[in-house]
Amino acid sequence: MTETQQKTSVVVLVSGSGTNLQALIDATANGAPFEIRGVISNRPGVRGLERATTADIPTRVIDHTEFPDRASFDAALAEAIDAFTPDLIVLAGFMRILTQAFVDRFAGRMLNIHPSLLPAFQGLHTHRRALEAGMREHGASVHFVTAELDGGPVIAQARVAVEQNDSESSLAVRVLQREHELLPKVVGWFAGGRLALRDERVWFDGQALETPIQC
Ligand code: GAR
């Protein structure tokens, strides 16, 4: 078997700029134990697709605006994912709510990165909401995807101190920098066989996690 065949195969889903995708691409170039088989976007023309093409990774667009409902979009998306036969699906800035059927199909092998210290600030505008709430700490989380939006068991988090003069954008920049370290690390753990979702809990190195790993 070649080295490439032994690596965990990943499909990355994006909706936008794809800087987290870039972090994964850079990790693969630096010997990470996974390979990116394909990148799928629900939006045509986004920077994430360009990044994939530049790295010679096949891309697909499944444009959600061309489907009458979530179920038909998710069915087309699942088919596109399966065509790459991945071991793992990574949502890296993928901004669609997924149906139960879709989530069930990929249960235990789908990860998402979210820009907050979950369970705080699920959903959108997390940096603004963290500032409005007067949080002293903010950050990002990687979790297994379940049907509850941003609600699946959290694997690991990166924390960022909120500065007194932070704006939404200055905070976003610092959190995103930490995301770029966090996501390849967690994908690497999955690829190394260290992570599993069992009984709705995260297992790491054979032990159920009590709290997310702090990175
Ligand atoms: C990232 O901050 C990611 O955590 C967030 O979108 C951004 C995508 O940036 N994801 C979510 O909000 C999902 N709920 P990128 O396209 O440059 O990686």
Side-chain angles (χ1 to χ4, degrees):
M1 209 188 264
T2 67
E3 194 189 324
T4 306
Q5 282 168 325
Q6 289 169 346
K7 291 196 173 190
T8 290
S9 56
V10 180
V11 163
V12 183
L13 307 189
V14 298
S15 298
S17 64
T19 64
N20 277 292
L21 165 66
Q22 189 66 55
L24 292 170
I25 291 171
D26 293 348
T28 62
N30 290 315
F34 55 87
E35 54 161 355
I36 305 174
R37 282 240 174 116
V39 170
I40 303 175
S41 172
N42 65 307
R43 290 182 186 278
V46 296
R47 179 86 178 94
L49 290 167
E50 280 176 35
R51 293 179 192 276
T53 303
T54 301
D56 285 328
I57 298 167
T59 62
R60 286 284 315 272
V61 174
I62 310 290
D63 183 345
H64 65 278
T65 65
E66 293 174 359
F67 293 84
D69 51 31
R70 278 191 202 284
S72 56
F73 168 74
D74 279 9
L77 182 60
E79 205 174 299
I81 290 170
D82 283 343
F84 290 115
T85 59
D87 300 311
L88 177 69
I89 299 103
V90 177
L91 278 53
F94 185 69
M95 305 304 277
R96 297 293 300 166
I97 293 171
L98 299 164
T99 57
Q100 177 87 52
F102 183 91
V103 170
D104 288 349
R105 181 167 175 152
F106 300 112
R109 56 191 192 102
M110 185 156 55
L111 305 179
N112 180 45
I113 184 152
H114 182 76
S116 77
L117 296 174
L118 290 171
F121 309 118
Q122 298 167 334
L124 298 175
H125 310 301
T126 57
H127 310 302
R128 187 193 312 164
R129 288 159 60 209
L131 287 173
E132 283 169 0
M135 305 301 292
R136 309 277 298 275
E137 259 195 332
H138 185 45
S141 305
V142 176
H143 64 94
F144 278 108
V145 176
T146 61
E148 188 195 342
L149 179 68
D150 301 326
V154 178
I155 301 162
Q157 295 180 320
R159 306 180 97 85
V160 167
V162 178
E163 308 292 344
Q164 251 178 0
N165 57 354
D166 257 327
S167 64
E168 189 177 342
S169 56
S170 67
L171 186 55
V173 166
R174 289 207 310 289
V175 171
L176 196 57
Q177 282 169 350
R178 299 299 312 280
E179 291 185 40
H180 298 162
E181 301 157 18
L182 180 66
L183 186 59
K185 187 180 281 186
V186 177
V187 173
W189 289 340
F190 186 96
R194 304 181 69 182
L195 270 181
L197 177 68
R198 255 200 328 270
D199 306 328
E200 298 173 17
R201 299 186 73 177
V202 176
W203 291 70
F204 184 73
D205 286 347
Q207 299 221 329
L209 284 187
E210 297 299 333
T211 53
I213 299 165
Q214 301 302 314
C215 292

